[in-house]
Amino acid sequence: MLFEELSRIKRSSIMTSIVLVAIGIVMIMCPARYVDSLVSVLGYGMVVFAAVLMLSFISAKKSLINYIKFAGALVLLLLGISVLVFSNIVLIIGIVFGLILISDGIITIINTSLYVRRAQRKGWWILILLSVLMIAGGLAILINPWWNETTELFFVIGVMLLFSSLVSIVRLIIIWPIKDEEEG
């Protein structure tokens, strides 16, 4: 049962990374005249995803983790509605995404130094390097010195989304401790 759950988590992580890579590529390749439409699709997608999370809360057991997921769904719903209502929300999304990149990089550095390095996994220094690059990318999005238009920021967010999802794939490959039964 534990191995089935871990396998499900592994598949979920891989699929999330693949979806984020696809979204990043779409954000990079999107022509300037379609950026507003894509931002609207992003807003509607966040609202629908938040609604799905809230409906799954209703049918789930009422444990602490489900309440935390419900609170995250409410924040996502508010962010999705604000994307749809306000016109210059991409700058706020850039700030939020920059903060997420910085926090993910810091958490990965801490986990790598505490667990992966001590477990003597090969390539732990690659995770440190990629995490530092992710923190630098998050700071670049927050400082925002090179782009003033929404389309340019949208492109940069797409590039950083692509990079962060590739970092999560590398992290999964390096730290995943369980071999499949066929590999045994």
Side-chain angles (χ1 to χ4, degrees):
M1 172 127 172
L2 176 65
F3 291 115
E4 291 173 3
E5 186 66 23
L6 288 174
S7 179
R8 186 184 67 78
I9 291 171
K10 183 179 179 181
R11 281 192 310 268
S12 174
S13 297
I14 291 170
M15 286 308 298
T16 302
S17 295
I18 290 171
V19 167
L20 290 177
V21 165
I23 292 171
I25 290 172
V26 167
M27 289 175 77
I28 291 169
M29 293 176 50
C30 183
R33 63 180 178 217
Y34 296 121
V35 168
D36 292 333
S37 299
L38 197 56
V39 169
S40 296
V41 168
L42 175 71
Y44 286 120
M46 287 192 292
V47 168
V48 168
F49 187 63
V52 168
L53 287 175
M54 286 190 274
L55 289 175
S56 70
F57 170 77
I58 293 171
S59 65
K61 293 180 181 178
K62 303 304 184 248
S63 62
L64 179 62
I65 191 68
N66 289 331
Y67 282 106
I68 293 171
K69 288 179 183 177
F70 182 70
L74 288 175
V75 170
L76 186 66
L77 178 69
L78 291 175
L79 187 61
I81 290 172
S82 63
V83 165
L84 294 172
V85 171
F86 300 114
S87 61
N88 205 4
I89 196 68
V90 177
L91 298 175
I92 296 172
I93 291 174
I95 292 171
V96 169
F97 187 68
L99 292 174
I100 289 172
L101 280 177
I102 292 170
S103 63
D104 188 26
I106 291 171
I107 290 170
T108 302
I109 287 174
I110 291 170
N111 287 336
T112 300
S113 62
L114 288 179
Y115 303 116
V116 179
R117 185 174 57 93
R118 289 184 183 170
Q120 297 175 347
R121 299 296 245 169
K122 295 178 182 176
W124 62 269
W125 57 273
I126 295 172
L127 283 177
I128 298 283
L129 178 68
L130 291 174
S131 298
V132 169
L133 290 174
M134 233 169 37
I135 291 171
L139 286 173
I141 289 176
L142 284 179
I143 295 170
N144 198 6
W146 299 291
W147 45 86
N148 295 326
E149 289 185 21
T150 305
T151 56
E152 293 171 352
L153 184 61
F154 200 70
F155 177 80
V156 171
I157 291 173
V159 169
M160 289 309 300
L161 185 64
L162 183 64
F163 179 71
S164 68
S165 59
L166 292 176
V167 168
S168 69
I169 290 171
V170 169
R171 179 176 42 218
L172 184 69
I173 290 170
I174 290 175
I175 69 170
W176 195 258
I178 299 172
K179 305 279 184 200
D180 288 336
E181 294 174 3
E182 298 91 28
E183 294 177 10

